[in-house]
Amino acid sequence: MTQDVVMEIFREAIMLAFKLALPVLLVAMIVGLVIAILQAATQIHEQTISFAPKAIAVGLTLFFMAPWMINEILDFVNFIFEKMAQVPIT
């Protein structure tokens, strides 16, 4: 296995991690921003108020995005197996 193949695998793995994390992080950020605006508007500065809505939003995002995430992971696993099949046996 050459260095180029290893670098391609690492690059694909990092891109997969970004693709899988991005929707969850965006939802958490948007919900946190909305709650922060509401807290600023009502002058309620309690740290624990934002936890439950963020947890629910992240959980729902994971629930609805799970099929897509699983397909992305399976595509990556197939990519790895294709690369393994190309490795010459010595």
Coordinates of all heavy atoms in Angstrom, one line a residue:
M1 N 0.9 -1.2 0.0 CA 0.0 0.0 0.0 C 0.9 1.2 0.0 O 1.8 1.4 0.9 CB -0.9 0.0 1.2 CG -1.9 1.1 1.2 SD -3.1 1.1 2.6 CE -4.0 -0.5 2.3
T2 N 0.7 2.1 -1.0 CA 1.5 3.3 -1.1 C 1.0 4.4 -0.2 O -0.1 4.3 0.4 CB 1.5 3.8 -2.5 OG1 0.2 4.2 -2.8 CG2 1.9 2.7 -3.5
Q3 N 1.9 5.4 0.0 CA 1.6 6.5 0.8 C 0.4 7.3 0.3 O -0.4 7.8 1.0 CB 2.8 7.4 1.0 CG 2.6 8.6 1.9 CD 3.8 9.4 2.0 OE1 4.9 9.1 1.4 NE2 3.8 10.4 2.9
D4 N 0.2 7.3 -1.0 CA -0.9 8.0 -1.7 C -2.2 7.4 -1.3 O -3.2 8.1 -1.0 CB -0.7 8.1 -3.2 CG 0.5 8.9 -3.6 OD1 0.8 9.8 -2.8 OD2 1.0 8.7 -4.7
V5 N -2.2 6.1 -1.3 CA -3.5 5.3 -0.9 C -3.8 5.6 0.5 O -5.0 5.8 0.9 CB -3.3 3.8 -1.2 CG1 -4.5 3.1 -0.7 CG2 -3.1 3.6 -2.7
V6 N -2.9 5.5 1.4 CA -3.1 5.8 2.8 C -3.6 7.2 3.0 O -4.6 7.4 3.8 CB -1.8 5.5 3.6 CG1 -2.0 5.9 5.1 CG2 -1.4 4.1 3.5
M7 N -3.0 8.2 2.3 CA -3.5 9.6 2.5 C -4.9 9.7 1.9 O -5.7 10.5 2.5 CB -2.5 10.5 1.7 CG -1.1 10.6 2.4 SD -1.3 11.2 4.1 CE -1.9 12.8 3.9
E8 N -5.2 9.0 0.9 CA -6.6 9.1 0.3 C -7.6 8.5 1.3 O -8.7 9.1 1.5 CB -6.6 8.3 -1.0 CG -8.0 8.4 -1.6 CD -8.1 7.5 -2.9 OE1 -7.1 6.9 -3.3 OE2 -9.1 7.6 -3.6
I9 N -7.2 7.4 2.0 CA -8.1 6.8 3.0 C -8.3 7.8 4.2 O -9.4 8.0 4.6 CB -7.5 5.5 3.4 CG1 -7.7 4.5 2.3 CG2 -8.3 5.0 4.7 CD1 -7.0 3.1 2.6
F10 N -7.2 8.4 4.6 CA -7.3 9.3 5.8 C -8.1 10.5 5.4 O -8.9 11.0 6.2 CB -5.9 9.8 6.2 CG -5.3 8.8 7.2 CD1 -3.9 8.5 7.0 CD2 -6.0 8.1 8.2 CE1 -3.3 7.5 7.8 CE2 -5.4 7.2 9.0 CZ -4.0 6.9 8.8
R11 N -7.9 11.0 4.2 CA -8.7 12.2 3.7 C -10.2 11.9 3.7 O -11.0 12.6 4.1 CB -8.2 12.6 2.3 CG -8.9 13.9 1.8 CD -8.3 14.4 0.5 NE -8.3 13.4 -0.5 CZ -7.2 12.8 -1.1 NH1 -6.0 13.2 -0.7 NH2 -7.3 11.9 -2.0
E12 N -10.5 10.7 3.1 CA -11.9 10.3 3.1 C -12.5 10.1 4.5 O -13.7 10.4 4.7 CB -12.1 9.0 2.3 CG -11.8 9.2 0.8 CD -12.8 10.1 0.1 OE1 -14.0 10.0 0.5 OE2 -12.4 10.8 -0.7
A13 N -11.7 9.6 5.4 CA -12.2 9.4 6.8 C -12.5 10.7 7.5 O -13.5 10.9 8.2 CB -11.1 8.6 7.6
I14 N -11.6 11.7 7.3 CA -11.8 13.0 7.8 C -13.0 13.7 7.2 O -13.8 14.3 7.9 CB -10.5 13.9 7.7 CG1 -9.4 13.3 8.6 CG2 -10.8 15.3 8.0 CD1 -8.1 13.9 8.4
M15 N -13.2 13.6 5.9 CA -14.3 14.2 5.3 C -15.6 13.5 5.8 O -16.6 14.2 5.9 CB -14.2 14.0 3.7 CG -13.1 14.9 3.1 SD -13.3 16.7 3.6 CE -14.9 17.0 2.8
L16 N -15.6 12.2 6.0 CA -16.8 11.5 6.5 C -17.1 12.0 7.9 O -18.3 12.2 8.2 CB -16.5 10.0 6.5 CG -17.6 9.2 7.1 CD1 -18.9 9.2 6.3 CD2 -17.2 7.7 7.3
A17 N -16.1 12.2 8.7 CA -16.3 12.7 10.1 C -16.9 14.1 10.0 O -17.9 14.4 10.8 CB -15.0 12.7 10.9
F18 N -16.5 14.9 9.1 CA -17.1 16.3 9.0 C -18.5 16.2 8.5 O -19.4 16.9 9.0 CB -16.2 17.1 8.0 CG -15.0 17.7 8.6 CD1 -13.8 17.8 7.8 CD2 -14.9 18.1 9.9 CE1 -12.6 18.3 8.3 CE2 -13.7 18.6 10.5 CZ -12.6 18.7 9.7
K19 N -18.7 15.3 7.5 CA -20.1 15.2 7.0 C -21.1 14.7 8.0 O -22.2 15.1 8.0 CB -20.1 14.3 5.7 CG -19.6 14.9 4.5 CD -20.0 14.1 3.2 CE -19.4 12.8 3.2 NZ -19.6 12.1 1.9
L20 N -20.6 13.8 8.8 CA -21.5 13.2 9.8 C -21.8 14.2 11.0 O -22.8 14.2 11.6 CB -21.0 11.9 10.4 CG -20.9 10.7 9.3 CD1 -20.4 9.5 10.0 CD2 -22.3 10.5 8.7
A21 N -20.8 14.9 11.4 CA -20.9 15.8 12.5 C -21.6 17.1 12.2 O -22.2 17.7 13.1 CB -19.5 16.1 13.1
L22 N -21.5 17.6 10.9 CA -22.0 18.9 10.6 C -23.5 19.1 10.8 O -23.8 20.1 11.5 CB -21.7 19.2 9.1 CG -22.0 20.6 8.6 CD1 -21.1 21.6 9.4 CD2 -21.8 20.7 7.1
P23 N -24.4 18.2 10.4 CA -25.8 18.5 10.7 C -26.1 18.6 12.2 O -26.9 19.4 12.6 CB -26.5 17.3 10.1 CG -25.6 16.6 9.2 CD -24.2 17.0 9.7
V24 N -25.5 17.7 13.0 CA -25.8 17.7 14.5 C -25.2 19.0 15.1 O -25.9 19.7 15.9 CB -25.1 16.5 15.1 CG1 -25.3 16.5 16.6 CG2 -25.7 15.2 14.5
L25 N -24.0 19.4 14.7 CA -23.5 20.6 15.2 C -24.2 21.9 14.8 O -24.4 22.8 15.6 CB -22.0 20.7 14.8 CG -21.0 19.7 15.4 CD1 -19.7 19.8 14.8 CD2 -21.0 19.8 16.9
L26 N -24.7 21.9 13.6 CA -25.5 23.0 13.1 C -26.8 23.2 13.9 O -27.2 24.3 14.2 CB -25.7 22.9 11.6 CG -24.6 23.3 10.7 CD1 -25.0 23.0 9.2 CD2 -24.2 24.7 10.9
V27 N -27.5 22.0 14.1 CA -28.7 22.1 14.8 C -28.5 22.6 16.2 O -29.2 23.4 16.8 CB -29.4 20.7 14.8 CG1 -30.5 20.6 15.8 CG2 -29.9 20.4 13.4
A28 N -27.4 22.0 16.9 CA -27.1 22.4 18.3 C -26.8 23.9 18.3 O -27.2 24.6 19.2 CB -26.0 21.6 18.8
M29 N -26.1 24.4 17.3 CA -25.7 25.8 17.3 C -26.9 26.7 17.1 O -27.1 27.7 17.7 CB -24.7 26.1 16.2 CG -24.1 27.5 16.1 SD -23.0 27.8 14.8 CE -24.0 27.6 13.4
I30 N -27.8 26.3 16.2 CA -28.9 27.2 15.9 C -29.9 27.2 17.1 O -30.4 28.3 17.5 CB -29.7 26.6 14.6 CG1 -28.8 26.9 13.4 CG2 -31.0 27.3 14.5 CD1 -29.2 26.2 12.1
V31 N -30.1 26.0 17.7 CA -31.0 26.0 18.9 C -30.4 26.8 20.0 O -31.1 27.6 20.7 CB -31.3 24.5 19.3 CG1 -31.9 24.5 20.6 CG2 -32.1 23.8 18.2
G32 N -29.1 26.7 20.2 CA -28.4 27.5 21.2 C -28.5 28.9 21.0 O -28.7 29.7 21.9
L33 N -28.4 29.3 19.7 CA -28.5 30.8 19.4 C -29.9 31.3 19.6 O -30.0 32.4 20.2 CB -28.1 31.0 17.9 CG -28.1 32.4 17.4 CD1 -27.1 33.2 18.1 CD2 -27.8 32.4 15.9
V34 N -30.9 30.5 19.2 CA -32.3 30.9 19.5 C -32.5 31.1 20.9 O -33.2 32.1 21.4 CB -33.3 30.0 18.8 CG1 -34.7 30.2 19.2 CG2 -33.1 30.1 17.3
I35 N -32.1 30.1 21.7 CA -32.3 30.2 23.2 C -31.6 31.3 23.8 O -32.1 32.0 24.7 CB -32.0 28.8 23.8 CG1 -33.0 27.8 23.4 CG2 -31.9 28.9 25.3 CD1 -32.7 26.4 23.8
A36 N -30.3 31.6 23.3 CA -29.6 32.7 23.8 C -30.3 34.0 23.5 O -30.3 34.9 24.4 CB -28.2 32.7 23.2
I37 N -30.9 34.2 22.3 CA -31.6 35.4 22.0 C -32.8 35.5 22.9 O -33.1 36.6 23.4 CB -32.0 35.4 20.5 CG1 -30.7 35.6 19.7 CG2 -33.0 36.5 20.2 CD1 -30.9 35.3 18.2
L38 N -33.5 34.4 23.1 CA -34.7 34.5 24.0 C -34.3 34.8 25.4 O -35.0 35.6 26.1 CB -35.5 33.1 24.0 CG -36.2 32.8 22.7 CD1 -36.8 31.4 22.7 CD2 -37.3 33.8 22.5
Q39 N -33.2 34.3 25.9 CA -32.7 34.6 27.3 C -32.3 36.0 27.4 O -32.6 36.7 28.4 CB -31.5 33.7 27.6 CG -32.0 32.3 28.0 CD -30.8 31.4 28.4 OE1 -29.6 31.6 27.9 NE2 -31.0 30.4 29.2
A40 N -31.7 36.6 26.3 CA -31.3 38.0 26.3 C -32.5 38.9 26.3 O -32.6 39.9 27.0 CB -30.4 38.3 25.2
A41 N -33.5 38.5 25.6 CA -34.7 39.3 25.5 C -35.5 39.3 26.8 O -36.1 40.3 27.1 CB -35.6 38.8 24.3
T42 N -35.5 38.1 27.5 CA -36.3 38.0 28.7 C -35.5 38.3 29.9 O -36.0 38.3 31.0 CB -37.0 36.6 28.8 OG1 -35.9 35.7 28.8 CG2 -37.9 36.4 27.7
Q43 N -34.2 38.5 29.7 CA -33.2 38.7 30.8 C -33.2 37.6 31.8 O -33.0 37.8 33.0 CB -33.5 40.1 31.5 CG -33.3 41.3 30.6 CD -33.5 42.6 31.3 OE1 -33.9 42.6 32.5 NE2 -33.2 43.7 30.6
I44 N -33.4 36.4 31.4 CA -33.2 35.2 32.2 C -31.9 34.6 31.8 O -31.7 34.1 30.7 CB -34.4 34.2 31.9 CG1 -35.7 34.8 32.3 CG2 -34.1 32.9 32.7 CD1 -36.9 33.9 31.9
H45 N -31.0 34.6 32.7 CA -29.6 34.1 32.4 C -29.3 32.8 33.2 O -28.4 32.8 34.0 CB -28.6 35.2 32.7 CG -28.8 36.4 31.8 ND1 -28.6 36.5 30.5 CD2 -29.2 37.7 32.2 CE1 -28.9 37.7 30.0 NE2 -29.3 38.4 31.0
E46 N -30.0 31.8 32.9 CA -29.8 30.5 33.5 C -29.2 29.6 32.5 O -29.6 29.4 31.4 CB -31.2 30.0 34.0 CG -31.1 28.6 34.7 CD -30.3 28.7 36.0 OE1 -30.4 29.7 36.7 OE2 -29.6 27.7 36.2
Q47 N -28.0 29.0 32.9 CA -27.3 28.2 32.0 C -28.0 26.9 31.7 O -27.8 26.3 30.6 CB -25.9 27.9 32.7 CG -25.0 29.1 32.9 CD -24.5 29.6 31.6 OE1 -24.3 28.9 30.7 NE2 -24.2 30.9 31.6
T48 N -28.8 26.4 32.6 CA -29.3 25.0 32.4 C -30.6 25.1 31.5 O -31.0 24.0 31.0 CB -29.7 24.4 33.7 OG1 -30.6 25.3 34.4 CG2 -28.5 24.2 34.6
I49 N -31.1 26.2 31.2 CA -32.3 26.3 30.3 C -32.1 25.8 28.9 O -32.9 25.2 28.3 CB -32.9 27.7 30.3 CG1 -33.4 28.1 31.7 CG2 -34.0 27.9 29.3 CD1 -33.9 29.5 31.8
S50 N -30.9 26.0 28.4 CA -30.6 25.7 27.0 C -30.3 24.2 26.8 O -30.3 23.7 25.7 CB -29.5 26.5 26.5 OG -28.3 26.2 27.1
F51 N -30.0 23.5 27.9 CA -29.6 22.1 27.8 C -30.7 21.2 27.2 O -30.5 20.4 26.3 CB -29.1 21.5 29.1 CG -28.7 20.1 29.0 CD1 -27.5 19.7 28.4 CD2 -29.5 19.1 29.5 CE1 -27.2 18.4 28.3 CE2 -29.2 17.8 29.4 CZ -28.0 17.4 28.8
A52 N -31.9 21.2 27.8 CA -33.0 20.3 27.4 C -33.4 20.5 25.9 O -33.4 19.6 25.2 CB -34.2 20.4 28.3
P53 N -33.6 21.8 25.5 CA -34.0 21.9 24.0 C -32.9 21.5 23.1 O -33.1 20.9 22.1 CB -34.2 23.4 23.9 CG -34.5 23.9 25.3 CD -33.8 23.0 26.2
K54 N -31.6 21.8 23.5 CA -30.5 21.3 22.6 C -30.4 19.8 22.6 O -30.2 19.2 21.5 CB -29.2 21.9 23.1 CG -28.8 23.2 22.5 CD -27.3 23.5 22.7 CE -27.1 24.5 23.7 NZ -25.8 25.0 23.9
A55 N -30.6 19.2 23.7 CA -30.5 17.7 23.8 C -31.6 17.1 23.0 O -31.4 16.1 22.2 CB -30.6 17.2 25.2
I56 N -32.8 17.6 23.0 CA -33.9 17.1 22.3 C -33.7 17.3 20.8 O -33.9 16.4 19.9 CB -35.3 17.8 22.7 CG1 -35.6 17.3 24.1 CG2 -36.4 17.5 21.7 CD1 -36.7 18.1 24.8
A57 N -33.2 18.5 20.4 CA -33.0 18.8 19.0 C -31.9 17.9 18.4 O -32.0 17.4 17.3 CB -32.6 20.3 18.8
V58 N -30.8 17.7 19.2 CA -29.8 16.8 18.7 C -30.3 15.4 18.6 O -29.9 14.7 17.6 CB -28.5 17.0 19.6 CG1 -27.5 15.8 19.4 CG2 -27.9 18.3 19.4
G59 N -31.0 15.0 19.6 CA -31.6 13.6 19.5 C -32.5 13.4 18.3 O -32.4 12.4 17.6
L60 N -33.3 14.4 18.0 CA -34.2 14.3 16.8 C -33.4 14.3 15.5 O -33.7 13.6 14.6 CB -35.2 15.4 16.9 CG -36.4 15.3 17.9 CD1 -37.2 16.6 17.9 CD2 -37.2 14.1 17.6
T61 N -32.4 15.2 15.5 CA -31.5 15.2 14.3 C -30.9 13.9 14.1 O -30.8 13.4 13.0 CB -30.5 16.3 14.5 OG1 -31.1 17.6 14.7 CG2 -29.6 16.4 13.3
L62 N -30.3 13.3 15.2 CA -29.7 12.0 15.0 C -30.7 10.9 14.6 O -30.4 10.0 13.7 CB -29.0 11.5 16.3 CG -27.8 12.3 16.7 CD1 -27.3 11.9 18.1 CD2 -26.7 12.0 15.7
F63 N -31.9 11.0 15.1 CA -33.0 10.0 14.8 C -33.3 10.1 13.3 O -33.4 9.1 12.6 CB -34.2 10.2 15.6 CG -35.3 9.3 15.3 CD1 -35.3 8.0 15.7 CD2 -36.4 9.8 14.6 CE1 -36.3 7.1 15.4 CE2 -37.5 8.9 14.3 CZ -37.4 7.6 14.7
F64 N -33.5 11.3 12.8 CA -34.0 11.5 11.4 C -32.8 11.4 10.4 O -33.0 11.1 9.2 CB -34.7 12.8 11.2 CG -36.0 12.9 11.8 CD1 -36.3 13.7 12.9 CD2 -37.0 12.0 11.4 CE1 -37.6 13.7 13.5 CE2 -38.3 12.0 12.0 CZ -38.6 12.8 13.0
M65 N -31.6 11.7 10.8 CA -30.4 11.6 9.9 C -29.7 10.3 10.0 O -28.8 10.0 9.2 CB -29.4 12.7 10.3 CG -29.9 14.1 10.2 SD -30.3 14.6 8.5 CE -28.6 14.8 7.9
A66 N -30.2 9.4 10.9 CA -29.5 8.1 11.0 C -29.4 7.3 9.7 O -28.4 6.7 9.4 CB -30.2 7.3 12.1
P67 N -30.5 7.2 8.9 CA -30.4 6.4 7.7 C -29.3 6.9 6.7 O -28.5 6.2 6.2 CB -31.8 6.5 7.1 CG -32.7 6.8 8.2 CD -31.9 7.6 9.1
W68 N -29.3 8.3 6.6 CA -28.3 8.9 5.7 C -26.9 8.6 6.3 O -25.9 8.3 5.5 CB -28.5 10.4 5.6 CG -27.4 11.1 4.9 CD1 -27.2 11.1 3.6 CD2 -26.4 11.9 5.5 NE1 -26.1 11.9 3.3 CE2 -25.6 12.4 4.5 CE3 -26.1 12.3 6.8 CZ2 -24.5 13.2 4.7 CZ3 -25.1 13.1 7.1 CH2 -24.3 13.5 6.0
M69 N -26.7 8.8 7.6 CA -25.4 8.6 8.3 C -24.9 7.1 8.1 O -23.8 6.9 7.8 CB -25.5 8.9 9.7 CG -25.6 10.4 10.0 SD -25.7 10.7 11.8 CE -25.6 12.4 11.8
I70 N -25.8 6.2 8.2 CA -25.5 4.8 8.1 C -25.1 4.5 6.6 O -24.1 3.8 6.4 CB -26.6 3.9 8.5 CG1 -26.8 3.9 10.0 CG2 -26.4 2.4 8.1 CD1 -28.0 3.3 10.6
N71 N -25.8 5.1 5.6 CA -25.4 4.9 4.2 C -24.0 5.5 4.0 O -23.2 4.9 3.2 CB -26.5 5.5 3.3 CG -27.7 4.7 3.2 OD1 -27.6 3.5 3.4 ND2 -28.8 5.3 3.0
E72 N -23.7 6.6 4.5 CA -22.4 7.2 4.3 C -21.3 6.4 4.9 O -20.3 6.2 4.3 CB -22.4 8.6 5.0 CG -23.2 9.7 4.3 CD -22.7 10.0 2.9 OE1 -21.4 10.1 2.7 OE2 -23.5 10.2 2.0
I73 N -21.6 5.8 6.1 CA -20.6 4.9 6.7 C -20.4 3.7 5.9 O -19.3 3.2 5.7 CB -21.0 4.6 8.2 CG1 -20.9 5.9 9.0 CG2 -20.1 3.5 8.8 CD1 -21.5 5.7 10.4
L74 N -21.5 3.1 5.4 CA -21.4 1.9 4.6 C -20.6 2.2 3.3 O -19.8 1.3 2.8 CB -22.8 1.3 4.3 CG -23.5 0.7 5.4 CD1 -24.9 0.3 5.0 CD2 -22.7 -0.5 6.0
D75 N -20.9 3.3 2.7 CA -20.1 3.7 1.5 C -18.6 3.8 1.8 O -17.8 3.4 1.0 CB -20.6 5.1 0.9 CG -21.9 5.0 0.3 OD1 -22.4 3.8 0.0 OD2 -22.6 6.0 0.1
F76 N -18.3 4.3 3.0 CA -16.9 4.4 3.4 C -16.3 3.0 3.6 O -15.1 2.8 3.2 CB -16.7 5.3 4.6 CG -15.3 5.4 5.1 CD1 -14.4 6.2 4.4 CD2 -14.9 4.8 6.2 CE1 -13.1 6.3 4.8 CE2 -13.6 4.9 6.7 CZ -12.7 5.6 5.9
V77 N -17.0 2.2 4.2 CA -16.5 0.8 4.4 C -16.3 0.1 3.1 O -15.3 -0.6 2.9 CB -17.5 0.0 5.4 CG1 -17.2 -1.5 5.4 CG2 -17.5 0.6 6.8
N78 N -17.2 0.3 2.2 CA -17.0 -0.3 0.8 C -15.8 0.3 0.2 O -15.1 -0.5 -0.5 CB -18.3 -0.1 0.0 CG -19.4 -0.9 0.4 OD1 -19.3 -2.0 1.0 ND2 -20.7 -0.5 0.2
F79 N -15.6 1.6 0.3 CA -14.4 2.2 -0.2 C -13.1 1.6 0.4 O -12.2 1.3 -0.4 CB -14.4 3.7 0.1 CG -13.2 4.4 -0.2 CD1 -12.8 4.7 -1.5 CD2 -12.4 4.9 0.9 CE1 -11.6 5.4 -1.7 CE2 -11.2 5.6 0.6 CZ -10.8 5.8 -0.7
I80 N -13.1 1.3 1.7 CA -12.0 0.7 2.3 C -11.7 -0.7 1.8 O -10.6 -1.1 1.5 CB -12.2 0.7 3.9 CG1 -12.2 2.1 4.4 CG2 -11.1 -0.2 4.5 CD1 -10.9 2.8 4.4
F81 N -12.8 -1.5 1.6 CA -12.7 -2.8 1.1 C -12.2 -2.9 -0.3 O -11.4 -3.7 -0.7 CB -14.0 -3.6 1.3 CG -14.2 -4.1 2.7 CD1 -15.4 -3.9 3.3 CD2 -13.2 -4.8 3.3 CE1 -15.6 -4.4 4.6 CE2 -13.4 -5.3 4.6 CZ -14.6 -5.1 5.2
E82 N -12.6 -1.9 -1.1 CA -12.1 -1.8 -2.5 C -10.6 -1.5 -2.5 O -9.9 -2.1 -3.3 CB -12.9 -0.7 -3.2 CG -14.3 -1.0 -3.6 CD -15.0 0.2 -4.2 OE1 -14.4 1.2 -4.5 OE2 -16.3 0.0 -4.4
K83 N -10.2 -0.6 -1.6 CA -8.8 -0.3 -1.5 C -8.0 -1.5 -1.0 O -6.9 -1.8 -1.5 CB -8.5 0.9 -0.6 CG -9.0 2.2 -1.1 CD -8.3 2.5 -2.4 CE -8.8 3.8 -3.0 NZ -8.2 4.1 -4.3
M84 N -8.6 -2.3 -0.1 CA -7.9 -3.5 0.4 C -7.8 -4.5 -0.7 O -6.8 -5.2 -0.8 CB -8.7 -4.1 1.6 CG -8.5 -3.3 2.9 SD -9.6 -3.9 4.2 CE -9.1 -5.6 4.3
A85 N -8.8 -4.6 -1.6 CA -8.7 -5.6 -2.7 C -7.6 -5.2 -3.7 O -7.1 -6.1 -4.4 CB -10.1 -5.7 -3.4
Q86 N -7.3 -4.0 -3.8 CA -6.3 -3.5 -4.7 C -4.8 -3.7 -4.2 O -3.9 -3.5 -5.0 CB -6.5 -2.0 -5.1 CG -7.8 -1.8 -5.8 CD -8.1 -0.3 -6.0 OE1 -7.3 0.5 -5.6 NE2 -9.2 0.0 -6.6
V87 N -4.7 -4.0 -2.9 CA -3.4 -4.2 -2.3 C -2.8 -5.5 -2.9 O -3.4 -6.6 -2.8 CB -3.4 -4.2 -0.8 CG1 -2.1 -4.5 -0.2 CG2 -3.9 -2.9 -0.3
P88 N -1.6 -5.4 -3.5 CA -0.9 -6.6 -4.0 C -0.5 -7.5 -2.8 O 0.0 -7.0 -1.8 CB 0.2 -6.1 -4.8 CG 0.5 -4.8 -4.3 CD -0.8 -4.2 -3.7
I89 N -0.6 -8.8 -3.0 CA -0.2 -9.8 -1.9 C 1.2 -10.1 -2.2 O 1.6 -10.5 -3.3 CB -1.1 -11.0 -2.0 CG1 -2.5 -10.6 -1.7 CG2 -0.6 -12.1 -1.0 CD1 -3.5 -11.8 -1.8
T90 N 2.1 -10.0 -1.2 CA 3.5 -10.3 -1.4 C 3.9 -11.5 -0.7 O 3.3 -12.0 0.2 CB 4.4 -9.1 -0.9 OG1 4.1 -8.9 0.5 CG2 4.1 -7.9 -1.7

